[in-house]
Amino acid sequence: MIEGPYLLFLGDAADPLAAKVAQGIRDWRPDAALGQYRMQGCNADMGLPDMTPAEAAAKGARTMVVGVANRGGVISPAWVEVLSQALEAGMDLASGLHNLLRDEPELVAVAMKTGRALHDVRVPPHRYPIATGRRRPGKRCLAVGTDCSVGKMYTALAMEREMRARGMKATFRATGQTGILITGGGVPLDAVVADFMAGSIEALSPANDADHWDLIEGQGSLFHASYSGVTLALIHGGQPDALVLCHEPTRTHMRGLPEYTLPSLEALRDLALDMARIVNPEVRVSGVSINTAGLDAGAAERLLRETEARLGLPTTDPFRHGAGRLVDALA
Amino acid sequence: MIEGPYLLFLGDAADPLAAKVAQGIRDWRPDAALGQYRMQGCNADMGLPDMTPAEAAAKGARTMVVGVANRGGVISPAWVEVLSQALEAGMDLASGLHNLLRDEPELVAVAMKTGRALHDVRVPPHRYPIATGRRRPGKRCLAVGTDCSVGKMYTALAMEREMRARGMKATFRATGQTGILITGGGVPLDAVVADFMAGSIEALSPANDADHWDLIEGQGSLFHASYSGVTLALIHGGQPDALVLCHEPTRTHMRGLPEYTLPSLEALRDLALDMARIVNPEVRVSGVSINTAGLDAGAAERLLRETEARLGLPTTDPFRHGAGRLVDALA
């Protein structure tokens, strides 16, 4: 586990999008976002107090999180200096970059000297077991998508927040780098070795109280030729009781695959159910989450109503309208 | 690529089953099986000439293959001595054991000194790209199973042999340790990192002549909770034109999953087709391969006939009756 609260390192972010990890932490774990550190030329701002590593440490920050992705994922020499200061101030470091903290000799030396930890969340923290497929108590909800990057993480986080606000027992389970940095733990599923994918998800969402819900972050899509195997391991390891279908209506082809069009929500529903029933015959589709960011309010409203009527399932955009109806369907 | 011909190291195999990798090489690549090396107490015999490493090297052997699995996958000190002799004699070493040749300091030292290679086929030899899903010329046939270990490798190898005997262009593509040791190359799919699974299979079965068939070795099963993600990556990376359904009729539950019964061949057909059509709308199921080793000749014959009538597909046991009918269905 990565210890909070965090100082969010925004570095020299070229634009706000480059700092989307920091944005995710600020949006979803505001209590963990103590402050931000911006370098010369930084074009992102989380609206948090600007602090040096020493100031943040004095206020209780335990980890400086690299909340920015720069082109190529490299860790620049200018960064190393600030990251070293954070270690010297008594904080750990956490990063989801392709280039690893542990591959920077200077950071490794300072971490050794100061006894601090370097968390590279792209690297699985330990070996996972082979999945057993055994039924386990507790409820699990999994977001599945017509494509990659259609709002699966956002949907699960919004549902967790709503459930907790209602006093329900709920835990978001991160399966990707951003989700792990937001919550402080999880499984970087895309980096797990094939044989252990489903087992890692069983480990991530273990037996729990009968009325506890795990909201498992989805990955990829059963219809995405590059990543479908990851998605299926998530379905079979997660053993979901409920599936939420996620979709982005303006997408013209599968992400990164210009020759592939998106499946319909009906096709996703049918295939995901076929797959999930293998491990849980009682699984059902509980709702639809549509990312309407690309539509104006009227068009979004019409699409949601039309989809709800067509599929006979609660349909919402949790960002625009909250996750209440998706949670109603689980309760 | 692992260079042949081979000296098959049978070690101190407790029984013939422990030497099944050597058996596979002798059965499927007899031209590559130059000789065998057996230690005191070895209870396996491939019927090949017994040779010391020096004798084998003198006869042209290029690699000594560890053709035996011992309990725990360890490389015993008694083995290290013989393996070192093989390196000294100018041969490479190849092994599919969990414990790696490269983790044996003495072997590493001798390999460095002699300039020979240590092939650990459980470790992917290089990084693979992300799958593109793009259609590519050449034909591909994939064996899919109702369960793990139902004869998928055997079926693909038998089809390759039959096709070559008929003068067809055909290549078996290994995706598991035994298959890789049999053919000298391939992808150890179960050890590939999740994001690159489908890409590794695209790389393994690249664009080819329009009348060339890749016979891709299947892994796992879409219905196997532990490994289904691996199977789906194989389907989406392999982009098959033809699927052969493989089944073992005496299995009482899914391998390693006592709570799961096997799916019907019909269920496998439907789900595998649904999945394969995502990447190749023209895919078809071309035949059924049933491993009837557990049945007497009469029962086997009845089951094959009954299955063929039920599914309307050429159905055979390629071990008992050859792969001719499965190949007829592709031609």
Side-chain angles (χ1 to χ4, degrees):
Chain A
M1 281 301 281
I2 301 165
E3 290 186 68
Y6 302 151
L7 174 63
L8 300 181
F9 176 78
L10 306 186
D12 39 11
D15 52 46
L17 200 65
K20 72 172 188 172
V21 167
Q23 187 79 46
I25 294 170
R26 202 216 47 192
D27 287 351
W28 294 106
R29 289 290 182 272
D31 49 306
L34 198 70
Q36 64 185 15
Y37 182 90
R38 298 187 295 164
M39 293 168 60
Q40 195 91 44
C42 179
N43 291 316
D45 183 355
M46 297 300 122
L48 296 168
D50 286 293
M51 299 178 187
T52 65
E55 290 165 352
K59 292 208 159 101
R62 307 295 300 271
T63 304
M64 182 151 86
V65 174
V66 178
V68 58
N70 51 5
R71 244 176 288 275
V74 293
I75 297 168
S76 70
W79 286 20
V80 169
E81 196 186 322
V82 185
L83 298 178
S84 297
Q85 288 168 15
L87 293 168
E88 299 277 7
M91 282 185 273
D92 295 335
L93 294 178
S95 160
L97 295 178
H98 268 293
N99 288 48
L100 305 181
L101 298 171
R102 70 185 67 169
D103 289 340
E104 296 295 323
E106 192 178 332
L107 292 180
V108 171
V110 180
M112 295 271 282
K113 190 187 74 181
T114 56
R116 306 315 312 164
L118 303 177
H119 297 286
D120 286 301
V121 304
R122 281 199 184 262
V123 182
H126 45 252
R127 290 199 59 148
Y128 300 102
I130 300 275
T132 68
R134 271 196 291 273
R135 297 297 297 275
R136 53 196 189 275
K139 298 280 187 187
R140 288 167 301 280
C141 175
L142 174 66
V144 292
T146 50
D147 193 3
C148 303
S149 309
V150 293
K152 294 185 293 289
M153 183 185 80
Y154 195 101
T155 300
L157 282 165
M159 290 178 72
E160 183 208 38
R161 179 175 285 178
E162 173 70 18
M163 291 169 92
R164 290 194 172 184
R166 296 186 187 188
M168 296 170 73
K169 298 179 196 165
T171 310
F172 171 78
R173 301 294 189 184
T175 62
Q177 282 79 22
T178 304
I180 293 170
L181 288 172
I182 289 175
T183 59
V187 168
L189 185 57
D190 62 8
V192 172
V193 162
D195 252 5
F196 306 101
M197 294 185 299
S200 74
I201 302 304
E202 287 188 348
L204 178 70
S205 56
N208 213 319
D209 296 345
D211 59 346
H212 177 279
W213 281 93
D214 274 340
L215 287 314
I216 304 175
E217 180 189 358
Q219 292 295 335
S221 167
L222 286 173
F223 293 85
H224 197 292
S226 312
Y227 308 117
S228 55
V230 180
T231 309
L232 183 52
L234 203 43
I235 293 174
H236 282 175
Q239 214 176 79
D241 299 278
L243 298 168
V244 174
L245 310 182
C246 297
H247 184 57
E248 204 283 78
T250 67
R251 199 69 62 89
T252 54
H253 61 74
M254 298 292 281
R255 191 175 165 90
L257 306 178
E259 294 153 33
Y260 287 80
T261 55
L262 270 69
S264 66
L265 281 163
E266 286 86 343
L268 172 63
R269 173 196 64 197
D270 295 345
L271 194 56
L273 273 178
D274 280 349
M275 280 304 180
R277 280 182 180 133
I278 291 170
V279 291
N280 182 0
E282 275 85 49
V283 62
R284 64 198 174 84
V285 173
S286 59
V288 181
S289 172
I290 299 190
N291 176 352
T292 63
L295 305 178
D296 66 41
E301 193 58 56
R302 278 192 300 280
L303 177 66
L304 293 171
R305 266 208 309 271
E306 185 272 328
T307 306
E308 175 148 345
R310 217 176 74 220
L311 287 159
L313 289 166
T315 302
T316 191
D317 178 338
F319 184 80
R320 263 188 152 123
H321 306 114
R325 302 197 55 228
L326 298 177
V327 170
D328 293 345
L330 295 189
Chain B
M1 281 299 284
I2 301 165
E3 290 187 68
Y6 302 151
L7 173 63
L8 301 181
F9 176 78
L10 306 187
D12 39 12
D15 52 45
L17 199 66
K20 73 174 187 169
V21 168
Q23 186 79 46
I25 295 171
R26 204 216 46 194
D27 287 352
W28 294 107
R29 289 293 182 268
D31 48 308
L34 198 71
Q36 64 186 15
Y37 182 90
R38 298 187 294 164
M39 292 168 61
Q40 196 91 44
C42 179
N43 291 317
D45 184 355
M46 297 300 122
L48 296 168
D50 288 293
M51 298 177 187
T52 64
E55 290 166 351
K59 292 206 159 102
R62 306 295 300 270
T63 303
M64 182 150 86
V65 174
V66 178
V68 58
N70 51 5
R71 244 176 288 273
V74 293
I75 297 168
S76 70
W79 285 21
V80 170
E81 197 187 322
V82 185
L83 298 178
S84 297
Q85 288 169 16
L87 293 168
E88 298 276 9
M91 282 185 271
D92 295 334
L93 294 178
S95 159
L97 296 178
H98 269 292
N99 289 49
L100 305 181
L101 298 170
R102 70 185 66 170
D103 289 339
E104 296 293 323
E106 192 178 333
L107 292 180
V108 172
V110 180
M112 297 270 281
K113 191 187 73 182
T114 56
R116 306 316 314 166
L118 303 178
H119 298 286
D120 285 300
V121 303
R122 281 198 184 264
V123 182
H126 45 251
R127 289 199 59 148
Y128 300 102
I130 300 273
T132 67
R134 271 197 292 273
R135 297 297 297 275
R136 54 196 189 275
K139 298 280 187 186
R140 289 167 301 279
C141 175
L142 174 66
V144 292
T146 51
D147 193 4
C148 302
S149 309
V150 293
K152 294 185 293 288
M153 181 184 82
Y154 196 101
T155 300
L157 283 164
M159 290 178 72
E160 183 208 38
R161 179 176 285 178
E162 173 71 18
M163 292 169 93
R164 292 195 171 184
R166 295 186 187 188
M168 296 170 73
K169 298 179 196 165
T171 310
F172 171 77
R173 300 295 187 183
T175 62
Q177 283 78 22
T178 304
I180 294 171
L181 289 171
I182 289 175
T183 59
V187 168
L189 185 57
D190 62 9
V192 171
V193 162
D195 252 4
F196 307 101
M197 293 186 298
S200 74
I201 302 303
E202 288 188 348
L204 178 69
S205 56
N208 214 319
D209 296 345
D211 59 345
H212 177 280
W213 281 92
D214 274 339
L215 288 314
I216 303 175
E217 180 188 358
Q219 294 293 336
S221 167
L222 287 173
F223 293 86
H224 196 293
S226 313
Y227 308 116
S228 55
V230 179
T231 309
L232 183 52
L234 203 43
I235 293 174
H236 282 175
Q239 214 177 78
D241 299 278
L243 297 167
V244 174
L245 311 181
C246 298
H247 184 57
E248 204 284 78
T250 67
R251 200 68 62 88
T252 53
H253 61 76
M254 296 292 281
R255 191 175 165 90
L257 305 179
E259 293 153 34
Y260 288 80
T261 55
L262 270 70
S264 66
L265 281 163
E266 285 87 342
L268 172 62
R269 173 195 64 198
D270 294 345
L271 194 56
L273 273 178
D274 280 348
M275 281 302 180
R277 280 182 181 134
I278 291 171
V279 291
N280 181 0
E282 275 84 50
V283 62
R284 64 197 174 85
V285 173
S286 59
V288 181
S289 171
I290 299 190
N291 175 352
T292 63
L295 305 177
D296 66 40
E301 192 59 55
R302 278 192 299 281
L303 177 66
L304 293 171
R305 265 207 309 270
E306 183 272 330
T307 306
E308 176 149 344
R310 218 177 75 222
L311 287 159
L313 290 165
T315 302
T316 190
D317 178 338
F319 184 80
R320 262 189 152 123
H321 306 114
R325 301 195 57 227
L326 298 176
V327 171
D328 292 344
L330 295 189

